[in-house]
Amino acid sequence: MRVRTLPRLFPLILLASPCLAGQAHPADRVERLLEELSNAPGPSGFEAPVREIVARELRAQGLEVSTDGLGSVIGVLHGSPGGPRIMLAAHMDEVGAMVRFVTPEGMVKFQLLGGWLDQALVDQRWTILTSQGPVTAISGLRSVHITPAEDRNRVTARDDVFLDVGARSKDEAEALGIRAGDPIVPATAFTKLVDGRYTGKAMDDRVGCAMLLETLRRLKEQGSKTPNTLYFVGTVQEEVGLRGAHTAALAVKPDLGISLEAGIAADHPGGRADWAQERLGAGPVIYLADAAMLVNLRLRDFFVRVAADANIPLQTEVTTGGAEDSAELQRYAAGTPSINFAVATRYLHSHNSMIERADLDRAIDLLVKLLPRLDSKTVAEISRF
Ligand SMILES: [Zn+2]
C-alpha cells in the first residue's frame, strides 16, 4: 500500500500549527492538573490513583477529607453555619476493562467496564494494572491480507477482541503478574494539540475533577466565606451506574446538587444537532434533559441568570444519551434540586477525547460566581414548587 511521503508535508505542518511555531503558552497550573488527572489510571472500581490526587488537592486547601463506604472522597468547605448543603460531584472513574482470563497461548480476554463502542476497541494500546506493576498490551487486529473482502468493513465484536502482551504462553503472561480481575485502561498520554485544545483519555470525567478542584482553589483564594457549606466530592463507579453518587449523597445529605461533567459534543463530521447541540469553544453547558434526568427548572433559570450577569456564554443540551451523577442526586431523599454542568467533549469513551481549554476556564469562572450566591433564601426559592 502506497503512502504519501512525509518530507513534502513537514514545512506546511510547521507553519500551520501555532504549537510548533512557538506561539503555545507554557503549561499553567490548570493544564498541569488536568494532565495529571487524565493520565492517572482509574477505571470504575479502581479509582485509587485518582482519589489520591483529588484528596491531596482538597487537603492542600485545608479541607477535612473523608470517604464514603464505596470509596468516593468528600471534602468540606464550611461557610456560614446553618446555610444550605451544596454538593458538587465529579466522578473519578473512567471507562475501562477487567481481565477475564488468560488463554493457553498467553492472550488476555477482558470484560468492559462502562459503555464502549466495539469499533473503539481494536488496534489500540492499553495498560493492564497488575499487582506487579503496569503491563503494556495491544488489542490485535487481523491483517488485511488474510481478511476476506466482505469482512473488511466489519466491526470486530467485543467478545472477539483480545489483548496481546507479547507473551508466548499463559505462564509467561502470568509471570508478568496478570490475573483475572486486573483493571485495564487506555494507554493514551495527555497531549496539547493546538493552543487551547487538549486530547487524552478519560476527559470524561477528569475535566469535571479539574473543574471541582480549581473552583475550590479559586474560592479559597477569594477568601470570602460562602453563605452555605460546600461539599467537594469525587465520586466512584459513575460509569457502571452512578453508584458512588448514591452512597456519597447519603453521606452528604445535600439540599442542592451539581454534577460537574464532560458533555457530549457531536460537532464533528457526521455529527448532528439532533443528537447533541453543544460545541467546543462555545462555553460551558447545562443539561436540560438526558437519558436519566430532567433538570430542575428554577435551578436552570438560576444558572442562566448568573451566567448572563457575568457575561459568560452558556450552552444548553437536550439529548437522549447519557446519565450523570446529578440524576442520582436529584433522587436523593424526597427529591433534591439538581443540575448537570458540563464542558463540551468530543469522542467520549474512547482513547482520544478532546476539550477546549476556554470552556473549562469559563465553567470555573461561572461556578466561582454562582456558588457564593446559593444562600438559604435562594436555595429555598429554587426548591419551591
Ligand atoms: Zn461522565
Side-chain angles (χ1 to χ4, degrees), residues 317-340:
E317 187 61 79
V318 176
T319 182
T320 52
E324 286 79 27
D325 282 344
S326 47
E328 199 54 44
L329 302 184
Q330 191 179 55
R331 291 180 199 130
Y332 166 67
T336 303
S338 298
I339 190 167
N340 182 43

Side-chain angles (χ1 to χ4, degrees), residues 91 93 203-205 238-239 260-262 323-324 348-349:
H91 67 89
D93 60 316
M203 287 299 172
D204 179 14
D205 186 26
E238 187 269 358
E239 296 292 1
L260 306 179
E261 262 287 8
E324 286 79 27
L348 287 168
H349 292 201

Side-chain angles (χ1 to χ4, degrees), residues 114-360:
W116 285 90
L117 286 174
D118 288 19
Q119 58 198 283
L121 302 175
V122 287
D123 192 29
Q124 296 284 4
R125 296 239 172 146
W126 303 82
T127 304
I128 304 176
L129 304 156
T130 80
S131 58
Q132 287 173 204
V135 173
T136 298
I138 61 166
S139 43
L141 179 66
R142 180 166 61 168
S143 306
V144 61
H145 312 75
I146 53 171
T147 305
E150 65 277 15
D151 285 348
R152 290 187 180 187
N153 60 1
R154 190 169 294 177
V155 172
T156 306
R158 58 192 51 202
D159 285 344
D160 297 333
V161 180
F162 58 88
L163 296 184
D164 191 340
V165 295
R168 297 173 191 80
S169 67
K170 186 169 194 285
D171 291 348
E172 205 169 73
E174 291 182 344
L176 296 170
I178 299 171
R179 295 289 179 280
D182 283 347
I184 304 166
V185 287
T188 313
F190 175 93
T191 305
K192 192 154 104 170
L193 294 171
V194 299
D195 219 20
R197 290 219 166 154
Y198 306 135
T199 186
K201 70 171 187 60
M203 287 299 172
D204 179 14
D205 186 26
R206 302 296 153 69
V207 71
C209 295
M211 229 196 285
L212 184 85
L213 298 170
E214 182 58 12
T215 298
L216 167 62
R217 198 198 61 75
R218 292 262 304 274
L219 285 171
K220 289 289 287 190
E221 193 179 59
Q222 272 180 192
S224 51
K225 233 181 178 19
T226 56
N228 47 39
T229 300
L230 297 174
Y231 294 82
F232 293 82
V233 183
T235 63
V236 295
Q237 300 194 30
E238 187 269 358
E239 296 292 1
V240 289
L242 317 181
R243 298 173 188 169
H246 179 78
T247 50
L250 291 170
V252 168
K253 301 179 181 52
D255 298 304
L256 187 143
I258 305 172
S259 64
L260 306 179
E261 262 287 8
I264 308 163
D267 58 339
H268 50 68
R272 285 175 52 170
D274 302 299
W275 307 337
Q277 300 86 48
E278 59 199 273
R279 311 182 60 80
L280 266 60
V285 188
I286 51 172
Y287 271 57
L288 307 182
D290 63 23
M293 172 183 166
L294 297 172
V295 71
N296 172 285
L297 302 180
R298 291 175 192 274
L299 187 49
R300 171 202 65 187
D301 298 345
F302 179 69
F303 266 73
V304 170
R305 223 173 20 255
V306 176
D309 292 351
N311 210 9
I312 294 172
L314 189 64
Q315 304 187 71
T316 59
E317 187 61 79
V318 176
T319 182
T320 52
E324 286 79 27
D325 282 344
S326 47
E328 199 54 44
L329 302 184
Q330 191 179 55
R331 291 180 199 130
Y332 166 67
T336 303
S338 298
I339 190 167
N340 182 43
F341 183 58
V343 166
T345 308
R346 285 179 190 156
Y347 324 127
L348 287 168
H349 292 201
S350 76
H351 278 59
N352 307 293
S353 44
M354 187 192 299
I355 67 149
E356 168 108 19
R357 170 61 188 273
D359 293 333
L360 175 57

